[in-house]
Amino acid sequence: MQIKMIGIDHSKSPLQYREKVAFSTVRNIEFLNILKQEENILGGVVLSTCNRTEIWISYKDKLENEIDSILCKFKNINLYEYKKYFTYREDKEAIEHLFMVSSGLKSKILGEDQIITQVKNAVEISRESDFLNTTLDVLFRNAITASKKIKTQIKFKKGSFSVVDSVIKKLEKLNINVKDKSCLIIGNGEMGRLASEIFIKNGANVTMTLRQHHKGDVVIPVGVNIINFSDRVEVLPKFDIVISTTSTNRYMLKYEDVVKVKLKEKVVFIDLAVPRDIDEKIFSIKGTIGFNIDDFQIEENEINSFNETIERTKEILNEYIDNFYKWYYNKDLITNIFEISQKVADDTILRINKLVDDNTKNIVEKSSKKSIEKLIFCLRDNMKPRDFKNFMNILEKNYLNEDI
């Protein structure tokens, strides 16, 4: 099928390796432009989240350069060192993996909602970069549609999850009640807004940083206070909980800055960013407790409670996977279907040409064409690909290769 995927994720790679391969939106676009220059690569999508970076390509013939070497050169990292953390998938395995990822079945927090938006955003970046070919477009569209259907029709026994929900649960287990606590969120992107909403829902008093030049451009969740991003270190003494969620490549909180301010007696630092936002040396400051993204996941003893839900989820995924396969294996026949339907319509008009007026002829032509298309597409969706190709060969011989 000539679809490839290379990925690095939480199941195989430590955070310090994942963060070196993570992409911001700007770097995503830059990398897609690099891939565009590669001979035989027809399209690409880069999915970069807190827990994974995955690169998908559609190609023809043989690749001159493998994706892992292109990636490592772009990121200025050693291929030999990283190869053991990469996962390589092709064709059927790659396709089915994508559906599992977009539905949340591959997430650290099983069934999380956020992944659907992340997949949609990755596809949109490729589309805007003019690097989303038809095969990847149809593939990702089916995966996203399946995931939306799962979200609306299937409820996981413990509800829908995000990594922030897991943060709340972990704090509860440590007897840290967030109600009435002062919480600082560094970063106003999707993760920052989600963290704000969930902490407010749980009774916290939330303040979010906002860069001066972003004022008026960012939707701020109801009930959230705003401070200037540049004041983030200065205001730390006011807060019980500090959460950082940006997508930059440098620390938002440095040890040498934080150690100079007088923190509260007990402060929780939570770093949900990849690459990391908070210098982990800060976690050693007296009275502080710190976590990064790898500290949050579904409990192992809870997984069995999801078995029935997982099976129902896979049933929906398989339906849309089959839809993609039917489209892919027959995509070269679509033009012929339209040509055959037009030939049948022309044949019909010739037979009634002497009996009706021009207006009726037009109506009959359009109706017969649509009827034949509906019939052929119905057969395509209910036949094995090989049988359908044989069927189309018969029609082509009788309609496209002979004059009426």
Side-chain angles (χ1 to χ4, degrees), residues 105 110 156 303 306-315:
L105 291 186
L110 202 63
F156 282 75
I303 292 179
F306 289 97
N307 286 343
E308 182 180 344
T309 305
I310 290 171
E311 290 307 311
R312 291 172 57 211
T313 298
K314 287 182 178 179
E315 288 177 7

Side-chain angles (χ1 to χ4, degrees), residues 83-124:
K83 201 173 184 68
K84 61 186 175 184
Y85 297 116
F86 288 146
T87 299
Y88 302 84
R89 296 182 174 91
E90 293 188 43
D91 299 335
K92 188 173 184 289
E93 184 185 4
I95 289 164
E96 294 177 5
H97 171 75
L98 172 63
F99 280 79
M100 295 282 282
V101 167
S102 15
S103 67
L105 291 186
K106 290 273 188 172
S107 298
K108 289 181 69 175
I109 311 299
L110 202 63
E112 67 158 324
D113 288 341
Q114 196 178 8
I115 187 65
I116 304 177
T117 302
Q118 292 168 331
V119 173
K120 286 172 61 179
N121 290 344
V123 172
E124 195 55 37

Side-chain angles (χ1 to χ4, degrees), residues 7-24 47-54 71 75 77 81-82 85-86 108 163 248-249 271-276 280 292-297:
I8 184 170
D9 62 44
H10 61 88
S11 67
K12 194 174 177 180
S13 165
L15 176 58
Q16 62 264 32
Y17 286 91
R18 297 202 313 274
E19 64 186 356
K20 292 292 181 68
V21 189
F23 283 86
S24 65
L47 173 64
S48 185
T49 74
C50 295
N51 294 318
R52 69 182 66 249
T53 293
E54 296 183 346
L71 172 63
K75 287 289 187 176
I77 55 179
E81 180 183 2
Y82 274 76
Y85 297 116
F86 288 146
K108 289 181 69 175
V163 68
T248 59
N249 290 308
D271 191 346
L272 298 182
V274 178
R276 283 172 285 188
E280 290 199 349
N292 62 44
I293 190 74
D294 279 357
D295 293 315
F296 305 106
Q297 60 188 16

